[in-house]
C-alpha cells in the first residue's frame, strides 16, 4: 500500500545520505552537483536515477557504487538500485546554489557562472 | 575512514596502468640521459646510432609505454567494457618495456641481433595489445573517442609492422633505408599512433577537466578524422617518395592539428572552472604542436640544402615529441591521482589531509607539478632550439631537464598517496592510555 509520507521520508533520508558522496574531481557532493535526477520509492525498493558530468568520466563506475552504498547504509532494509541515465545530459547549470565550500574548498567556479537547481529535489 | 566501496568491474586493477606509467617515467628519464650522452651526434645526424637509440627510447620507452598505460585505463571506461584479459595486459606491459629497451640498446652498441629480437617481441606484444583492447573498443562501443582510438590502435600495429620490416632490413638489406622512408615511419608513429590517441582521448578528458560543455563538437570531429585521414595519405606519400601524395596528406594533417587546437580553445572558452596547472601543460604542449607544424611546412616548402632540411625535420620530430611528452606528463598529474583515489577508497580511506572528503587534488602537490612543467617545457624547447642551431650544449641541457622532469613528476605522484595514507593511519590511531605509561616505581625501590 502506498504511504506518501513514508516515501517522502525515505527520499529525504536518501538525499541526505547522498550528500556524503563527493565528486572527487570537483569536491562537490552529488546532490549539489545535480547528478541525482530521480529517486523512486516502491515499498522497500529504492531506484536512484543519476547521471555523470560526462559519459565515460573516470569515476563513472566509482561514483554510482558509492551512491548505492551510501543509500544502503542509510536505509539498511531497502533494496537500492542505481541507474545511470544520460537524458537529459548534465550541464553545469544543474548545480544547486548551495555553499559547496563547507570543507574549505576553494571556489571552483568562474565568476558569473550560472547555477541552477537540481531538477526534482530542490524542495526536499 | 569509512566502509569500503566495492572495486569496479570494467577498469583493470590499478597495478596495470600504474605499471605502464612507472615504466614510462623510467623511459622519460632514460630518454633525457640517452639524449644527453648523444647530444653531439643528435645535432650532427638523425641516423647516427646514438641518435637512433635516443629517439627510440623516447618513442617506445616513454611515449608508447605511457600512452598504452592511459589506453589500458581509459578504453574500458570509454567503451564501458573490460579488457579481454588482465593477465594479457600485464604480459603486454612486460613485452613492450622489453622491446622499448632492446631496440635502442641494439641500435646504440649492439649486438645487432638485439634489433630483430626486439622487433619480434614488439610485434607479438602489439598483436596481444590489439586483441586485448578490441574488447572495450570493439563492436557496440560508440562515440568519437572510440573511433579515434580504433584508428590509432590500427596505426600502432602498422607502425610496429614498419619497424619490424626495418629491423630485419638492417641485416637483409632488402631496400635502402632512405630518409623519406624513415620519415614515413616516424610520422606514422608520432601522428597516427601517439598523436591520434591523444587527440581522441582529449575530446573526452578536456570537457571533464574544464567542466566545459560546448554548443558544437565539430572541431573535435574534424580534428580526429582529418588527422586519421591525413596520416593515411601522408604515410604512403613519404614512404614512396611521392610529394603529390604526401602534400595533400600533410595538408589534411594540418587541418586536423588546427581543428584540435581550435577544439582546445573552445573548451577553454566554455569552461566553468579556473585554469590550473594541467591546462598550462596542455597549452605548452599545444605550442610545441604548432611549432612542429611550422617546422614541417618550412621543411617541405623551402628550397634549402639537404642538411638544412634534415635539421628542420629533426627539430620537427623533437617538437612533436615535446608536444606528446608534455601532454602525457601533464595528464598523469590527473590520471594517476584518480587511479590512486580508487585504490585508497577501496582500502577504506575516505578523507584527505585536511579532514575533508578525499579529492584527486589531495594526491599531488602543486609546486612540484609547476617545477615539472617548467623543466619539461624548457627542456623540450632547448632541444628543439639546440637541433636547429646545431648546439650540442643546448641539446644536452634540454635533455638533462627532461630527465629531471621525469624524476620530479614521479616523486610527486608517489608522495601524494603516501601522504594521504599516513594521515588516514594517524586519524584512526588509538589515543595513548594510562596503562601504556604505567611505571614500575615500586619495583625500583
Amino acid at each position: 500500500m502506498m504511504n506518501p509520507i513514508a516515501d517522502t521520508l525515505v527520499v529525504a533520508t536518501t538525499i541526505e545520505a547522498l550528500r556524503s558522496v563527493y565528486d572527487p574531481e570537483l569536491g562537490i557532493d552529488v546532490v549539489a552537483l545535480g547528478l541525482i535526477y530521480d529517486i523512486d520509492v516502491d515499498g522497500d525498493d529504492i531506484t536512484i536515477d543519476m547521471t555523470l558530468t560526462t559519459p565515460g568520466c573516470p569515476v563513472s563506475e566509482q561514483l554510482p557504487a558509492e551512491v548505492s552504498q551510501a543509500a544502503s547504509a542509510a536505509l539498511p532494509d531497502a533494496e537500492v538500485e542505481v541507474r545511470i541515465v544520460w537524458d537529459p545530459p548534465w550541464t553545469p547549470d544543474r548545480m544547486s546554489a548551495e555553499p559547496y565550500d563547507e570543507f574549505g574548498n576553494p571556489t571552483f567556479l568562474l565568476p558569473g557562472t550560472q547555477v541552477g537547481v537540481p531538477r526534482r529535489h530542490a524542495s526536499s | 575512514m569509512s566502509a569500503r566501496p566495492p572495486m569496479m568491474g570494467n577498469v583493470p586493477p590499478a597495478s596495470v596502468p600504474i605499471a605502464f606509467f612507472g615504466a614510462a617515467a623510467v623511459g622519460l628519464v632514460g630518454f633525457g640521459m640517452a639524449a644527453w650522452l648523444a647530444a653531439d651526434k643528435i645535432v650532427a645526424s638523425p641516423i647516427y646510432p646514438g641518435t637512433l637509440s635516443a629517439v627510440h627510447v623516447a618513442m617506445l620507452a616513454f611515449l608508447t609505454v605511457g600512452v598504452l598505460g592511459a589506453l589500458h585505463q581509459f578504453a574500458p571506461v570509454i567503451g564501458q567494457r573490460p579488457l579481454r584479459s588482465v593477465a594479457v595486459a600485464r604480459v603486454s606491459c612486460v613485452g613492450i618495456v622489453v622491446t622499448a629497451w632492446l631496440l635502442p640498446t641494439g641500435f646504440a652498441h649492439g649486438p645487432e641481433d638485439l634489433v630483430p629480437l626486439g622487433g619480434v617481441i614488439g610485434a607479438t606484444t602489439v598483436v596481444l595489445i590489439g586483441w586485448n583492447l578490441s574488447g572495450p573498443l570493439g563492436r557496440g562501443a560508440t562515440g568519437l573517442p572510440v573511433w579515434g582510438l580504433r584508428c590509432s590502435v590500427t596505426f600502432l600495429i602498422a607502425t610496429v609492422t614498419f619497424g619490424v620490416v626495418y629491423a630485419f632490413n638492417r641485416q637483409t638489406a632488402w631496400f635502402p633505408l632512405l630518409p623519406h622512408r624513415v620519415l614515413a615511419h616516424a610520422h606514422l608513429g608520432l601522428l597516427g599512433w601517439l598523436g591520434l590517441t591523444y587527440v581522441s582521448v582529449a575530446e573526452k578528458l578536456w570537457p571533464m577537466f574544464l567542466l566545459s560543455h560546448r554548443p558544437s563538437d565539430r572541431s573535435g570531429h574534424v580534428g580526429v578524422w582529418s588527422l586519421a585521414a591525413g596520416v593515411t595519405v601522408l604515410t604512403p606519400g613519404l614512404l614512396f617518395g611521392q610529394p603529390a601524395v604526401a602534400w595533400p596528406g600533410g595538408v589534411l594533417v594540418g587541418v586536423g592539428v588546427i581543428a584540435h587546437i581550435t577544439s582546445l580553445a573552445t573548451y577553454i572558452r566554455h569552461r566553468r572552472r579556473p585554469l590550473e596547472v594541467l591546462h598550462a601543460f596542455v597549452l605548452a604542449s599545444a605550442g610545441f604542436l604548432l611549432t612542429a607544424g611550422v617546422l614541417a611546412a618550412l621543411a617541405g616548402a623551402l628550397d634549402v640544402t639537404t642538411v638544412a632540411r634534415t635539421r628542420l625535420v629533426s627539430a620537427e620530430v623533437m617538437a612533436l615529441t615535446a608536444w606528446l611528452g608534455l601532454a602525457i606528463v601533464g595528464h598523469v598529474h590527473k590520471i594517476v591521482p584518480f587511479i590512486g583515489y580508487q585504490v585508497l577508497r577501496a582500502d577504506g580511506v575516505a578523507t584527505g589531509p585536511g579532514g575533508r572528503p578525499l579529492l584527486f587534488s589531495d594526491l599531488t602537490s602543486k609546486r612540484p607539478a609547476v617545477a615539472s612543467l617548467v623543466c619539461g617545457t624548457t627542456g623540450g624547447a632547448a632541444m628543439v632550439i639546440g637541433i636547429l642551431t646545431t648546439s650540442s650544449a643546448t641539446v644536452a641541457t634540454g635533455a638533462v631537464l627532461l630527465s629531471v622532469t621525469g624524476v620530479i613528476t614521479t616523486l610527486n605522484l608517489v608522495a601524494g598517496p603516501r601522504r594521504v595514507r599516513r594521515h588516514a593511519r594517524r586519524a584512526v590511531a588509538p589515543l595513548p592510555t594510562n596503562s601504556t605509561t604505567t611505571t614500575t616505581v615500586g619495583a625500583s625501590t
Side-chain angles (χ1 to χ4, degrees), chain B residues 39-408:
Chain B
D40 55 336
K41 302 296 187 286
I42 287 174
V43 298
S45 165
I47 55 168
Y48 181 82
T51 309
L52 211 54
S53 177
V55 167
H56 279 79
V57 172
M59 295 301 131
L60 292 170
F62 170 39
L63 297 177
T64 292
V65 172
V67 167
L68 281 174
L71 261 187
H72 280 77
Q73 173 71 21
F74 273 114
V77 175
I78 293 173
Q80 297 182 359
R81 280 185 299 187
L83 298 170
R84 289 190 186 276
S85 164
V86 170
V88 167
R90 295 190 200 285
V91 171
S92 303
C93 182
V94 173
I96 201 71
V97 170
V98 168
T99 304
W101 289 102
L102 273 184
L103 285 173
T105 305
F107 290 139
H109 45 70
E112 181 61 30
D113 287 345
L114 290 182
V115 176
L117 177 64
V120 170
I121 295 174
T124 310
T125 303
V126 164
V127 169
L128 290 177
I129 289 168
W131 172 78
N132 212 4
L133 291 175
S134 70
L137 298 178
R139 197 180 298 169
T142 56
L144 181 65
V146 169
W147 277 105
L149 293 181
R150 283 173 181 159
C151 293
S152 77
V153 172
T154 306
F155 284 130
L156 166 66
I157 293 168
T159 305
V160 171
T161 305
F162 265 54
V164 171
V165 172
Y166 287 4
F168 280 95
N169 187 60
R170 286 165 64 93
Q171 293 177 326
T172 58
W174 290 322
F175 52 85
L177 204 51
L178 299 172
H180 60 82
R181 290 181 181 148
V182 176
L183 270 186
H185 187 209
H187 284 81
L188 181 61
L190 277 166
L191 294 171
W193 152 231
L194 297 163
L196 186 57
T197 300
Y198 173 51
V199 168
S200 304
V201 172
E203 291 298 321
K204 180 62 73 179
L205 292 181
W206 289 346
M208 287 186 299
F209 292 153
L210 286 160
L211 206 62
S212 174
H213 285 63
R214 303 178 299 186
S216 165
D217 288 336
R218 189 187 305 160
S219 56
H221 280 81
V222 172
V224 168
W225 289 117
S226 291
L227 193 56
V231 171
T232 307
V233 177
L234 174 68
T235 303
L238 289 172
L239 183 64
F240 298 110
Q242 298 295 326
V245 179
W247 265 108
V251 170
L252 269 175
V253 168
V255 169
V257 165
I258 290 167
H260 170 68
I261 301 283
T262 306
S263 182
L264 171 61
T266 56
Y267 275 125
I268 289 175
R269 186 173 156 220
H270 291 279
R271 75 191 190 278
R272 305 296 183 106
R273 302 183 67 190
L275 294 174
E276 53 182 351
V277 179
L278 166 73
H279 308 119
F281 272 104
V282 171
L283 290 171
S285 146
F288 280 109
L289 177 58
L290 289 174
T291 304
V294 171
L295 290 169
L298 291 176
L302 289 183
D303 184 18
V304 291
T305 63
T306 305
V307 172
R309 181 167 289 113
T310 301
R311 206 175 295 154
L312 284 169
V313 171
S314 299
E316 179 228 344
V317 168
M318 183 57 224
L320 287 174
T321 304
W323 163 49
L324 295 160
L326 266 187
I328 289 175
V329 172
H331 281 83
V332 292
H333 283 86
K334 285 284 187 184
I335 297 168
V336 171
F338 74 62
I339 295 170
Y341 171 89
Q342 291 177 358
V343 173
L344 288 165
R345 293 290 285 121
D347 289 348
V349 179
T351 56
R356 65 186 188 183
L358 182 64
L359 305 178
F360 294 157
S361 57
D362 293 325
L363 300 177
T364 52
S365 297
K366 191 175 175 184
R367 281 186 184 175
V370 171
S372 290
L373 170 67
V374 172
C375 279
T377 307
T378 313
M383 288 197 67
V384 172
I385 293 167
I387 290 169
L388 283 173
T389 58
T390 59
S391 164
S392 59
T394 309
V395 169
T397 304
V400 170
L401 284 171
L402 292 183
S403 278
V404 172
T405 305
V407 172
I408 295 173

Side-chain angles (χ1 to χ4, degrees), chain A residues 22 24-27 53-62 65-66 69 90 92-93 103 105 108-110 113, chain B residues 3-6 8 10-11 77 204 208-209 211 213 271-274 334 338 341-342 345 356-360:
Chain A
Y22 278 73
E25 169 67 11
L26 301 172
T53 53
T54 178
C57 93
V59 288
S60 60
E61 296 181 339
Q62 179 90 27
E66 290 188 21
Q69 191 182 44
W90 182 87
D93 296 335
F103 297 101
N105 292 330
F108 67 96
L109 289 173
L110 290 173
T113 297
Chain B
R4 298 178 175 196
M8 301 301 106
N10 285 341
V11 291
V77 175
K204 180 62 73 179
M208 287 186 299
F209 292 153
L211 206 62
H213 285 63
R271 75 191 190 278
R272 305 296 183 106
R273 302 183 67 190
K334 285 284 187 184
F338 74 62
Y341 171 89
Q342 291 177 358
R345 293 290 285 121
R356 65 186 188 183
L358 182 64
L359 305 178
F360 294 157

